[in-house]
Amino acid sequence: MASNPRTILDASALSAGVNGHTRGVVFDFDGTLVDSYPLIEQAFAHVMRTHNLDERARALFQQSRGLPLPEQMKLVAPDIWEALVTTYREADTGLGHARVFRGIPTLVRKLRRAGAPMGVVSCKRRALVEAELEAARLRGYFDVVIGFEDVTPPKPAPDPLLAAIGYLGLSRSSAIYVGDSMVDLETGRAARVRTVLAAWGLSAELRATFRRHRLWATRPSEMLALVLTGNGHKRAA
């Protein structure tokens, strides 16, 4: 992707949105703000051991990345999905907090300094997202946090994202959505909101699956240029 990242935030460019609206940003959580997938894989490994699941189950779980946990488990094992959810959540409670991606604290500070409204929309339960944000000292930067239980249907339906945009007082054209999964891109398309792929946590293999998506950011600081200019291109894996 050809880009010329701007590391100094132009506050006037960010705050002056389309048709007089303030421009704002809504983030996905897992894999976008925090590097949670190593912990997610640990919790699912415990599920596999407990319920004697095979590698096909792991593949289905990974392929459904970004969906709500119950929906993932329904794909993995429709007959016992509720037990899988319970086992997963029991394991997850003991794994601690995920690491915040490098550059995210600086990014949200600059966005807040510019007066940009910000929100988080996740398929994770809101209490868990809130706890993670509090632990990372990031909660105060976000005006709204929407979790799995708050708006139905969940992502990839557009409803949670549109709810966040409405709460922030934004229009579709003045909002930017940032996420790392195909579910996030589908959510953005369904909501008709410009969506930036947060590629900073993706492996080369996963990046290759998004090669046709136009707006990329390979690190949080690069995302600023995409938010400000709206320009982006395909990036080779």
Side-chain angles (χ1 to χ4, degrees):
M1 175 177 63
S3 62
N4 182 23
R6 295 167 63 175
T7 57
I8 299 176
L9 185 63
D10 181 344
S12 62
L14 181 60
S15 60
V18 179
N19 297 325
H21 294 288
T22 299
R23 183 173 294 167
V25 186
V26 179
F27 294 87
D28 171 52
F29 183 69
D30 289 313
T32 299
L33 294 175
V34 298
D35 187 13
S36 50
Y37 287 110
L39 299 182
I40 289 171
E41 290 295 334
Q42 287 183 47
F44 189 71
H46 177 73
V47 171
M48 291 182 66
R49 291 191 298 270
T50 302
H51 297 278
N52 298 314
L53 302 179
D54 57 22
E55 287 302 314
R56 177 179 171 275
R58 188 195 303 276
L60 289 170
F61 182 74
Q62 292 174 339
Q63 289 165 13
S64 59
R65 173 176 175 166
L67 288 176
L69 180 65
E71 297 305 314
Q72 287 186 283
M73 295 311 189
K74 287 175 184 178
L75 292 173
V76 169
D79 296 337
I80 58 170
W81 70 269
E82 291 173 299
L84 301 190
V85 169
T86 299
T87 302
Y88 179 97
R89 288 177 172 165
E90 289 172 350
D92 185 54
T93 57
L95 294 178
H97 297 295
R99 178 182 66 87
V100 178
F101 281 113
R102 182 177 181 180
I104 287 295
T106 299
L107 170 64
V108 296
R109 280 197 301 268
K110 288 182 175 181
L111 290 171
R112 174 56 72 206
R113 194 177 303 137
M118 286 186 289
V120 177
V121 171
S122 176
C123 282
K124 182 172 281 187
R125 290 175 295 171
R126 177 165 39 83
L128 299 179
V129 177
E130 297 265 15
E132 292 281 353
L133 291 172
E134 291 285 358
R137 300 182 180 179
L138 296 178
R139 178 62 185 89
Y141 292 105
F142 298 102
D143 305 288
V144 62
V145 175
I146 292 179
F148 166 70
E149 72 275 32
D150 293 320
V151 179
T152 56
K155 297 189 293 183
D159 304 67
L161 177 55
L162 292 175
I165 289 170
Y167 183 94
L168 295 173
L170 300 169
S171 66
R172 296 174 196 251
S173 60
S174 64
I176 303 290
Y177 182 50
V178 187
D180 71 301
S181 70
M182 194 61 70
V183 167
D184 292 315
L185 300 190
E186 291 171 357
T187 300
R189 282 196 294 268
R192 290 185 284 125
V193 171
R194 188 162 42 136
T195 302
V196 176
L197 177 69
W200 47 78
L202 300 179
S203 65
E205 180 181 7
L206 280 174
R207 288 186 183 194
T209 66
F210 298 104
R211 61 187 178 276
R212 293 186 179 180
H213 186 66
R214 189 172 65 88
L215 295 177
W216 280 56
T218 57
R219 46 188 191 277
S221 61
E222 189 178 43
M223 199 202 82
L224 289 175
L226 298 177
V227 171
L228 293 172
T229 67
N231 294 323
H233 307 281
K234 291 187 294 182
R235 186 181 182 89

